[in-house]
Amino acid sequence: MWGGRKLSSSGSRFLGAHRSAFRGTQADCPRLTTSAAYSKNQLSWTLQIRPSVFSEYRIMCFKSYSMTFACLNRMKSYRLPWTRLYSTSRTTVDSSEVKTFLALAHRWWDEQGVYAPLHSMNDLRVPFIRDNLLKTVADHQPGKPLSGMKILDVGCGGGLLTEPLGRLGASVIGIDPVDENIKTAQHHKSFDPVLDKRIEYRACSLEKIVEETAETFDAVVASEVVEHVIDLETFIQCCCQVLKPGGSLFITTINKTQLSYALGIVFSEQIAGIVPKGTHTWEKFVSPEKLESILESNGLSVQTVAGMLYNPFSGYWHWSENTSLNYAAHAVKSSIQEHPAPAEFALKEETEELRTETSTNSGVHEELKK
């Protein structure tokens, strides 16, 4: 509908048991120091695990007293079963970015000022969010199509996108680490009694509210935000954590290309002054392919990626098949979620799986004992 493309899903996981798969490469590969042992009252046999990960072929080797298992494994990089999805001790907020936006906090609602492109972007991103969310509901109220939905607007700034979503009937929480941005947003929404009831603003980072809002939202919106965070993977993990199963994540951002550097930074910031100097850092830009990889490794299936182009002379945005500059992405959280388990149970399950595999194939078993 918007000239977008659907990205491929991640591959499947498979196991094997061939010693030759890792001969000659083991010395060159880093070894993990983690190990685990089980007493006989837990298992009928004792297993010492010393996994080695080979990044080129993604081979994990399990060495026991008498057996060696080589497991060709398309490893799920999003997390081990006992790993937390987030860490409140880590932050995704860049303090230098906070200073930049703090200086501009009073200018959010100047439609002819530095945030004019974001005001204009609403013509694309609001319908993009609305139409994709309406695909998930059987019916909706006229005039309030998003009624009953809970949306989190991450990095809401002065509320430029939060308010239109609230007007569509959604209950929206807007968060931003810059206190002055939240004050501006609070002040602006106070003029509309309807929005005052539907919208809540909080001055905080995403990772600070993950625990209290886990699996709370039907949708999370991070528009023009991911290119400003310092830890993109943690940021995406947090977004996934606060989404309900089947919920949608919407992202708009800038591709990491030579063209985006030339037009997005050199022209827009240094020559034309469309945005203030220092607003963007090219190294933080992310390609659709890398973003897809991070999303899918966190249990999010990418549905659509669509290019966006801004005309600085007309001041309008339009959709494009070209994603080399700006683009929008829509991903959906899997409805079937894996729940974290303690390390001992995860290792025990893997151990039982390996033992069953070898017991059903005596030929492989004898070969491994040599």
Side-chain angles (χ1 to χ4, degrees), residues 199-229:
I199 296 175
E200 176 188 349
Y201 289 114
R202 301 184 190 179
C204 65
S205 62
L206 174 59
E207 57 271 17
K208 293 296 182 182
I209 67 166
V210 169
E211 292 187 21
E212 64 179 275
T213 60
E215 297 191 348
T216 295
F217 299 99
D218 299 288
V220 173
V221 178
S223 185
E224 306 306 295
V225 171
V226 300
E227 67 269 25
H228 299 290
V229 302

Side-chain angles (χ1 to χ4, degrees), residues 121-311:
M121 188 184 287
N122 280 352
D123 293 341
L124 295 190
R125 57 185 179 176
V126 173
F128 182 72
I129 295 168
R130 178 199 64 204
D131 294 346
N132 278 290
L133 287 179
L134 289 181
K135 294 176 183 178
T136 66
V137 296
D139 52 17
H140 56 83
Q141 298 182 30
K144 296 189 295 183
L146 301 185
S147 179
M149 293 190 178
K150 296 189 67 175
I151 299 176
L152 178 66
D153 185 8
V154 184
C156 65
L160 303 193
L161 181 56
T162 318
E163 290 197 6
L165 295 175
R167 289 192 179 92
L168 290 173
S171 296
V172 190
I173 294 180
I175 62 172
D176 197 284
V178 182
D179 288 344
E180 293 302 315
N181 286 349
I182 294 299
K183 290 179 181 178
T184 299
Q186 291 274 23
H187 176 73
H188 195 270
K189 76 153 184 173
S190 66
F191 295 107
D192 190 330
V194 174
L195 290 181
D196 212 24
K197 295 178 181 179
R198 295 179 186 169
I199 296 175
E200 176 188 349
Y201 289 114
R202 301 184 190 179
C204 65
S205 62
L206 174 59
E207 57 271 17
K208 293 296 182 182
I209 67 166
V210 169
E211 292 187 21
E212 64 179 275
T213 60
E215 297 191 348
T216 295
F217 299 99
D218 299 288
V220 173
V221 178
S223 185
E224 306 306 295
V225 171
V226 300
E227 67 269 25
H228 299 290
V229 302
I230 58 175
D231 188 341
L232 180 57
E233 292 197 17
T234 297
F235 181 84
I236 296 298
Q237 287 172 1
C238 291
C239 288
C240 183
Q241 184 73 348
V242 300
L243 271 177
K244 294 177 181 178
S248 291
L249 173 60
F250 298 95
I251 292 174
T252 67
T253 189
I254 308 174
N255 198 347
K256 190 175 184 179
T257 61
Q258 293 180 344
L259 185 61
S260 70
Y261 179 79
L263 296 181
I265 294 181
V266 176
F267 177 76
S268 297
E269 295 186 14
Q270 301 175 12
I271 298 176
I274 297 173
V275 294
K277 291 183 180 180
T279 300
H280 296 111
T281 303
W282 186 79
E283 288 74 16
K284 289 183 179 179
F285 292 177
V286 58
S287 68
E289 293 77 17
K290 181 178 179 180
L291 182 61
E292 176 205 12
S293 176
I294 297 174
L295 290 170
E296 297 207 345
S297 68
N298 282 281
L300 290 153
S301 175
V302 177
Q303 305 297 304
T304 305
V305 173
M308 305 164 65
L309 289 179
Y310 178 68
N311 186 331

Side-chain angles (χ1 to χ4, degrees), residues 19 31-32 46 73 76 79 87 97 103 105 122 144 184 215 238 277 282 285 298 300 314 342 369-370:
R19 296 175 65 185
R31 297 182 64 84
L32 301 180
T46 304
N73 185 6
K76 294 181 179 180
R79 61 184 166 102
S87 172
E97 300 271 4
N122 280 352
K144 296 189 295 183
T184 299
E215 297 191 348
C238 291
K277 291 183 180 180
W282 186 79
F285 292 177
N298 282 281
L300 290 153
S314 66
K369 287 178 66 178
K370 294 179 182 179

